[in-house]
């Protein structure tokens, strides 16, 4: 039986005995990296630094919320504004695996720079078991290169330490509850909105998807249905719509909502059609560049939860 209290004590002791120098923490603001940050901070205090990179691929208000959580938990942290750098590196890139690898590599490059400034020898990451199993570390074929595994450059100068490597999502949530970290936040992928934009990532598409995401995130928790993770995906092909008397081409947004325990398998959520209709109308009314909304009714497997 998994016990979050003894896991926490063991993890802090293991950090103390394995991390023999200053450590920088790759913090995405998600539950995994926040738990890792808190464990390492409790073990090393000011000898650790949580670095949060605002990649410009985040959801609305995400950076502010992360800052508030760090403050509340008393973690030593730094926020780096890097939106333009990421957009520049992603210019013209449409291949999903390449996108993930570029984002991962850029992340690590920015961290390495920060690590030098901080004098860190260690890089702590919030990698959990499904991340490395699905990145080809286990017996399965590579499904997706999750950014915290697939994108590492070979000449890495930092020693990687992953305190949550053996945990599954439900176990991380229990540790988060024990540590006073919000655990009801739904998972959000490291590469952010970039893997929810099919094709090239642009500032325009990010802005559209950010608005649609907050509409979806606002509505779904209020419904009387089970939903573990829910978000929108902006498709690359445009389709015909009407504005007044004019035929116009607009974007299609797919809504994805799934029920799952650990993200390894999932079923699409049984959302009422009426509610989907309300969400669809709010999206098309407030975001004129979207003229079609569809609902993804595929389980994992055969689909993955994210579209890229
Ligand atoms: P998939 O799409 O592989 O997603 O079925 C399973 C769960 O993992 C999340 N996910 C990620 N989390 N870095 C992360 O930390 C990533 O690169 C990443 N990709 C997917 C996804 O949101 C879902 O909860």
């Amino acid at each position: 039986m998994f016990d979050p209290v003894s896991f926490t004590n063991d993890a802090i002791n293991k950090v103390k005995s394995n991390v023999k120098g200053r450590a920088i923490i790759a913090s995405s603001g998600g539950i995994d990296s926040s738990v890792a940050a808190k464990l390492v901070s409790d073990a090393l205090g000011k000898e650790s630094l949580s670095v949060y990179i605002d990649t410009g691929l985040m959801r609305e208000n995400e950076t502010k919320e992360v800052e508030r959580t760090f403050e509340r938990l008393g973690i030593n942290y730094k926020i780096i504004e890097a939106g333009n750098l990421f957009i520049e590196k992603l210019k013209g890139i449409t291949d999903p695996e390449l996108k993930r690898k570029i984002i991962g590599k850029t992340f690590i490059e920015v961290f390495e720079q920060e690590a030098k400034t901080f004098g860190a020898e260690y890089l702590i990451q919030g990698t959990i078991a499904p991340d490395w199993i699905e990145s080809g570390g286990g017996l399965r074929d590579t499904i997706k290169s999750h950014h915290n595994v697939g994108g590492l450059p070979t000449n890495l100068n930092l020693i990687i330490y992953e305190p949550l490597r053996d945990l599954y999502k439900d176990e991380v949530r229990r540790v988060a509850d024990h540590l006073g970290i919000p655990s009801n936040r739904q998972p959000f992928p490291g590469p952010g909105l970039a893997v929810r934009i099919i094709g090239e990532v642009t500032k325009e598409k990010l802005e559209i998807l950010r608005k649609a995401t907050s509409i979806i995130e606002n509505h779904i928790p209020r419904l009387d249905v089970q939903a573990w993770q829910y978000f929108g995906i902006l498709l690359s092909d445009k389709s015909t719509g009407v504005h007044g008397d004019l035929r116009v081409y607009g974007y299609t947004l797919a809504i994805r909502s799934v029920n799952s325990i650990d993200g390894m398998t999932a079923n699409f959520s049984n959302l009422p059609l009426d509610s989907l209709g309300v969400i669809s109308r709010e999206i098309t009314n407030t975001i004129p560049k979207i003229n079609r909304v569809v609902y993804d009714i595929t389980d994992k497997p055969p689909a993955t939860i994210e579209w890229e």
Side-chain angles (χ1 to χ4, degrees):
M1 258 299 270
F2 179 76
D3 174 20
V5 180
S6 57
F7 173 83
T8 301
N9 296 336
D10 285 356
I12 292 172
N13 286 333
K14 278 188 195 154
V15 173
K16 282 182 182 159
S17 53
N18 286 305
V19 179
K20 297 288 182 198
R22 289 193 140 197
I24 194 161
I25 307 162
S27 235
S28 69
I31 176 169
D32 304 344
S33 59
S34 300
V35 169
K38 178 67 177 152
L39 292 174
V40 172
S41 170
D42 283 356
L44 305 178
K46 290 268 193 250
E47 293 302 293
S48 64
L49 178 69
S50 276
V51 171
Y52 170 89
I53 300 180
D54 186 340
T55 59
L57 309 171
M58 333 303 284
R59 290 165 295 183
E60 228 155 65
N61 294 324
E62 192 138 33
T63 303
K64 274 193 206 121
E65 276 171 35
V66 169
E67 198 165 2
R68 248 181 263 138
T69 304
F70 284 159
E71 290 281 346
R72 193 171 51 75
L73 296 172
I75 292 172
N76 198 27
Y77 74 92
K78 180 169 179 183
I79 291 187
I80 299 165
E81 209 48 67
N84 288 338
L85 176 67
F86 279 83
I87 273 286
E88 197 53 44
K89 298 246 182 188
L90 288 169
K91 210 172 238 168
I93 308 294
T94 54
D95 178 77
E97 275 299 287
L98 196 53
K99 267 191 204 170
R100 281 177 171 270
K101 292 215 157 110
I102 289 171
I103 293 167
K105 194 164 180 293
T106 309
F107 240 93
I108 298 293
E109 282 168 8
V110 176
F111 271 119
E112 271 194 311
Q113 189 49 49
E114 281 309 310
K116 265 195 203 125
T117 312
F118 185 61
E121 291 169 57
Y122 290 83
L123 176 66
I124 311 293
Q125 294 195 311
T127 314
I128 65 170
D131 297 337
W132 60 265
I133 292 170
E134 294 195 357
S135 288
L139 296 173
R140 304 164 64 165
D141 291 339
T142 298
I143 296 173
K144 291 175 188 179
S145 296
H146 285 181
H147 85 272
N148 33 9
V149 182
L152 298 182
T154 46
N155 61 344
L156 197 77
N157 292 325
L158 294 165
I159 307 163
I160 305 261
Y161 189 75
E162 297 168 323
L164 310 179
R165 217 185 138 69
D166 296 326
L167 299 196
Y168 283 82
K169 203 85 201 182
D170 51 325
E171 295 168 334
V172 182
R173 278 178 205 274
R174 292 177 61 196
V175 178
D177 286 339
H178 169 60
L179 295 172
I181 292 166
S183 69
N184 55 354
R185 287 190 65 187
Q186 51 169 328
F188 186 65
L193 299 179
V195 294
R196 296 176 178 175
I197 289 172
I198 310 301
E200 188 185 7
V201 178
T202 63
K203 282 194 172 165
E204 184 208 33
K205 289 183 191 163
L206 278 167
E207 205 180 304
I208 293 171
L209 183 58
R210 206 172 275 130
K211 279 192 195 143
T213 303
S214 62
I215 293 171
I216 294 166
E217 288 194 346
N218 222 349
H219 273 277
I220 292 186
R222 295 200 199 141
L223 304 177
D224 189 22
V225 289
Q226 225 196 329
W228 184 75
Q229 188 176 12
Y230 34 87
F231 53 88
I233 304 104
L234 193 66
L235 307 193
S236 51
D237 287 334
K238 291 191 172 178
S239 77
T240 310
V242 278
H243 268 196
D245 293 337
L246 291 179
R247 289 164 71 85
V248 286
Y249 286 101
Y251 287 108
T252 299
L253 183 98
I255 299 175
R256 178 92 164 126
S257 176
V258 296
N259 298 338
S260 177
I261 291 170
D262 56 14
M264 297 289 278
T265 60
N267 293 109
F268 71 86
S269 321
N270 206 352
L271 300 189
L273 277 179
D274 283 356
S275 311
L276 283 166
V278 170
I279 299 172
S280 166
R281 275 176 220 111
E282 184 171 340
I283 289 172
T284 50
N285 285 343
T286 50
I287 314 168
K289 286 185 175 154
I290 296 177
N291 65 358
R292 197 174 295 274
V293 177
V294 297
Y295 187 48
D296 181 351
I297 49 165
T298 332
D299 298 329
K300 172 185 180 176
T304 48
I305 296 175
E306 303 291 344
W307 277 36
E308 285 197 340

